[in-house]
Amino acid sequence: MARRPLPRILSTGSAQIARSRELARTAADSATDVLHPLITITRGLRRLAAAGRRRWAETPKDKRGPLLFLVASVVLVVALVPYGPLLAAIALMAAAAWQGRDRRPPAPEGPDESQTQRLKSLYEALVPYFSTPEDPAPAYAHGGEWEKAFPAYDFDESGRITHLLVRYPAYFPDGEPEARARIEQLLHAKSGRGREYHFAWDEEGNELTVTVLSPLPTDIAAQRFVTAPGETVLGFTDASQVQRTLPLTHGEERRDVPPVVWRTGIRSTEPHLLVMGQPGSGTSTLLRSIALQALQYGDVVIVDGGGTGEYACLTGRDGVLAVESGLAGALASLEWASTETERRLIAANRARQAGHPAPDDTKRPLWILLDRPSAFSHLAAADGRKDPQALLQVPLRHGRAAGVTVVVADQFDSADALSDGVRQHTRARVVLGPATPVQLEAVLGARPHTTPVAQVPPGRGYARLGTGPVHRLQVPSTPDPYDDATSDADRQAVLALLPPRTRPADAEGVEAEPVPAEAVVVESS
């Protein structure tokens, strides 16, 4: 059957819709301008009628008769006077136009006294950075005109700056990160601490746009995200940073939120992830979120160096190959993962040489999640054993081709204990919790275009995938469901995502969920 071409309305639908919306908006504005007098008179008549009804309701019943007689007499006199009805209609229209006028107070044309003083102090603080003695006509000088330096600005109800456009001289070295950092730190301090500011530098136009960012949502619970295989949602960011949104469910409410999506697999340029943070910043929460998403399509091996039991909810679940919190178990699991990576590489290579597709047992993704591996490094050195991070060389180096993904989470105070292999092969980076600009640059490789604040909620930080931009990040709430401090809503959300529990092959006496008879028949066959 021959293919029919798509209708023209489908091929150019988006452009026509945008053009139709623009025409409708222009027509509505024109109609409003033309009909403005009629709208004003109609609004005035409605206000006069409402005032008449209120006056009639406030009049006592014994005085309503004389009032009606007085009104009727006035109407009769107006009707008998020459040109009386015409003059009465003109007077009524004039009164309606007066009553229907816009009574809102006019917006102030400029900043008030306090706002002007704040802009002046900000201008004076920038003079040492944006001026030089060799400039014959400096745009920044003590006692100069701040209006030319700040052509656009906005304030909130408390009088603090929410938006500011700064024009600076062309000789300012805006291409140097150190020079930019000094200006950003100054604007952050003078515009009000405790808020996050976004700095957009326009080197061609010599302009800096400062915008106050709204807080990221912290009430998004763990759930099934609408993603393709190989995509993992690390968290959520600002709408201006990404061109994609995900439909999320929050109770009975549904909303679209822009995500930070990390892509893994053969075509990924950032196949492994490194997460750094302070204690209590949410690194374990992010690993639990990644594990719940990874179990939808693959298998997971978890090594908990913290030993706090925050991954006990995953023990014995379908797809969870191991949850180790001891040194011996961690070494055994990582050694098996290294051997499995080599086996997958050899099997896939043999299949390619024979001209066959890769075997099915090499296609299922394998995830290796390590929480605080530096703790095992100290124990292994004290016990004379091999460092568990040394067993990550093969999965880190060849994991992309074998379908193996490594995620490492650790704390800043143990950053020196991370091996060179982890540092070199983890191109996707996440920093959670409070961090200095130096720490952010050391982990992410670049400073964010926003100012970090001292107090942040758990799971709040920054993410950078490869050489891409630095995004603000808020990890979805994925707490340990066995923790007593977890709310019931978050606990139920995590439990709903857990795979069914199965009986481990090397353990007895462990409670397991019943397996259907059909599954047993399939496995035995």
Side-chain angles (χ1 to χ4, degrees):
M1 175 180 272
R3 288 187 177 180
R4 290 185 177 182
L6 290 175
R8 184 178 180 85
I9 189 173
L10 294 180
S11 60
T12 60
S14 59
Q16 290 183 356
I17 291 174
R19 195 159 46 247
S20 301
R21 288 178 178 176
E22 186 65 25
L23 291 175
R25 191 179 297 108
T26 303
D29 295 340
S30 301
T32 302
D33 295 337
V34 173
L35 300 177
H36 181 70
L38 181 60
I39 295 174
T40 302
I41 292 176
T42 303
R43 184 168 56 242
L45 291 175
R46 188 170 62 251
R47 291 177 179 176
L48 289 176
R53 287 195 299 268
R54 288 196 303 270
R55 181 63 182 274
W56 177 259
E58 294 174 358
T59 304
K61 294 184 178 181
D62 56 343
K63 295 183 179 180
R64 291 182 179 180
L67 180 60
L68 286 176
F69 178 77
L70 177 61
V71 172
S73 301
V74 172
V75 171
L76 180 62
V77 170
V78 171
L80 295 178
V81 172
Y83 304 104
L86 179 60
L87 295 176
I90 294 175
L92 180 62
M93 294 299 104
W98 176 258
Q99 290 293 331
R101 72 189 188 280
D102 191 1
R103 300 182 181 181
R104 291 177 297 180
E109 298 181 357
D112 55 22
E113 184 177 355
S114 62
Q115 296 173 353
T116 301
Q117 185 62 33
R118 182 180 289 270
L119 292 174
K120 283 183 178 180
S121 63
L122 187 59
Y123 173 83
E124 293 291 337
L126 291 173
V127 169
Y129 301 94
F130 287 156
S131 63
T132 179
E134 292 80 8
D135 192 351
Y140 285 81
H142 294 291
E145 299 179 358
W146 61 267
E147 292 85 355
K148 296 181 180 180
F150 307 142
Y153 45 82
D154 289 319
F155 294 86
D156 57 9
E157 294 79 5
S158 61
R160 295 197 298 177
I161 295 175
T162 59
H163 175 79
L164 182 65
L165 178 61
V166 181
R167 289 179 178 172
Y168 54 88
Y171 52 77
F172 176 75
D174 51 6
E176 300 178 2
E178 294 78 9
R180 286 189 177 192
R182 288 194 296 268
I183 299 301
E184 293 174 1
Q185 183 179 4
L186 174 64
L187 293 174
H188 179 208
K190 292 295 183 181
S191 300
R193 297 184 181 273
R195 301 183 298 174
E196 289 187 87
Y197 296 85
H198 180 265
F199 300 95
W201 291 84
D202 182 10
E203 293 89 346
E204 296 182 358
N206 298 321
E207 292 181 347
L208 170 61
T209 303
V210 185
T211 307
V212 176
L213 297 174
S214 57
L216 294 176
T218 59
D219 55 350
I220 299 178
Q223 55 192 280
R224 284 282 178 238
F225 302 117
V226 184
T227 56
E231 293 183 343
T232 303
V233 176
L234 299 179
F236 304 94
T237 184
D238 302 297
S240 60
Q241 299 296 318
V242 295
Q243 299 179 354
R244 176 181 178 181
T245 58
L246 289 180
L248 302 179
T249 302
H250 177 62
E252 298 180 355
E253 178 186 359
R254 296 186 63 86
R255 52 182 172 175
D256 294 337
V257 181
V260 178
V261 178
W262 172 40
R263 293 174 177 84
T264 57
I266 297 178
R267 296 178 178 85
S268 174
T269 58
E270 306 88 19
H272 308 296
L273 175 69
L274 175 63
V275 184
M276 300 295 294
Q278 303 287 357
S281 59
T283 55
S284 300
T285 298
L286 178 56
L287 259 63
R288 267 191 302 270
S289 176
I290 293 175
L292 293 177
Q293 298 178 64
L295 287 172
Q296 190 175 2
Y297 304 105
D299 299 325
V300 174
V301 174
I302 301 175
V303 176
D304 182 13
T308 57
E310 295 191 9
Y311 304 95
C313 60
L314 296 170
T315 303
R317 299 285 178 176
D318 186 17
V320 180
L321 304 181
V323 178
E324 301 293 345
S325 57
L327 178 59
L331 290 173
S333 298
L334 294 180
E335 186 174 359
W336 173 87
S338 179
T339 305
E340 174 66 12
T341 304
E342 295 176 351
R343 184 197 67 81
R344 292 187 176 202
L345 288 174
I346 295 173
N349 187 33
R350 290 177 177 175
R352 294 191 194 97
Q353 291 179 356
H356 301 299
D360 293 338
D361 58 352
T362 63
K363 294 181 180 180
R364 184 170 176 82
L366 174 62
W367 291 72
I368 306 174
L369 308 182
L370 297 93
D371 193 354
R372 296 199 64 189
S374 58
F376 286 133
S377 300
H378 296 301
L379 293 176
D383 201 17
R385 296 189 179 186
K386 181 185 294 187
D387 187 354
Q389 297 185 58
L391 299 173
L392 295 175
Q393 287 291 337
V394 175
L396 287 171
R397 188 180 298 273
H398 305 287
R400 184 169 68 91
V404 179
T405 302
V406 179
V407 181
V408 179
D410 219 311
Q411 299 178 1
F412 281 116
D413 55 1
S414 303
D416 296 337
L418 294 177
S419 65
D420 294 336
V422 172
R423 296 173 183 271
Q424 294 173 2
H425 296 286
T426 52
R427 292 174 47 83
R429 302 290 181 88
V430 172
V431 177
L432 298 179
T436 62
V438 176
Q439 290 175 329
L440 291 174
E441 187 174 8
V443 177
L444 302 176
R447 293 191 178 186
H449 293 288
T450 61
T451 54
V453 294
Q455 301 294 332
V456 293
R460 175 69 175 82
Y462 296 91
R464 190 186 187 200
L465 305 178
T467 58
V470 180
H471 300 285
R472 287 204 307 165
L473 182 72
Q474 179 61 51
V475 177
S477 179
T478 316
D480 180 11
Y482 296 162
D483 188 1
D484 295 337
T486 303
S487 64
D488 186 65
D490 291 342
R491 179 183 294 106
Q492 295 301 326
V494 175
L495 292 177
L497 299 178
L498 290 174
R501 190 182 296 276
T502 56
R503 183 182 297 276
D506 56 348
E508 296 182 2
V510 181
E511 294 184 2
E513 296 180 1
V515 181
E518 295 80 3
V520 177
V521 173
V522 172
E523 291 180 359
S524 61
S525 61

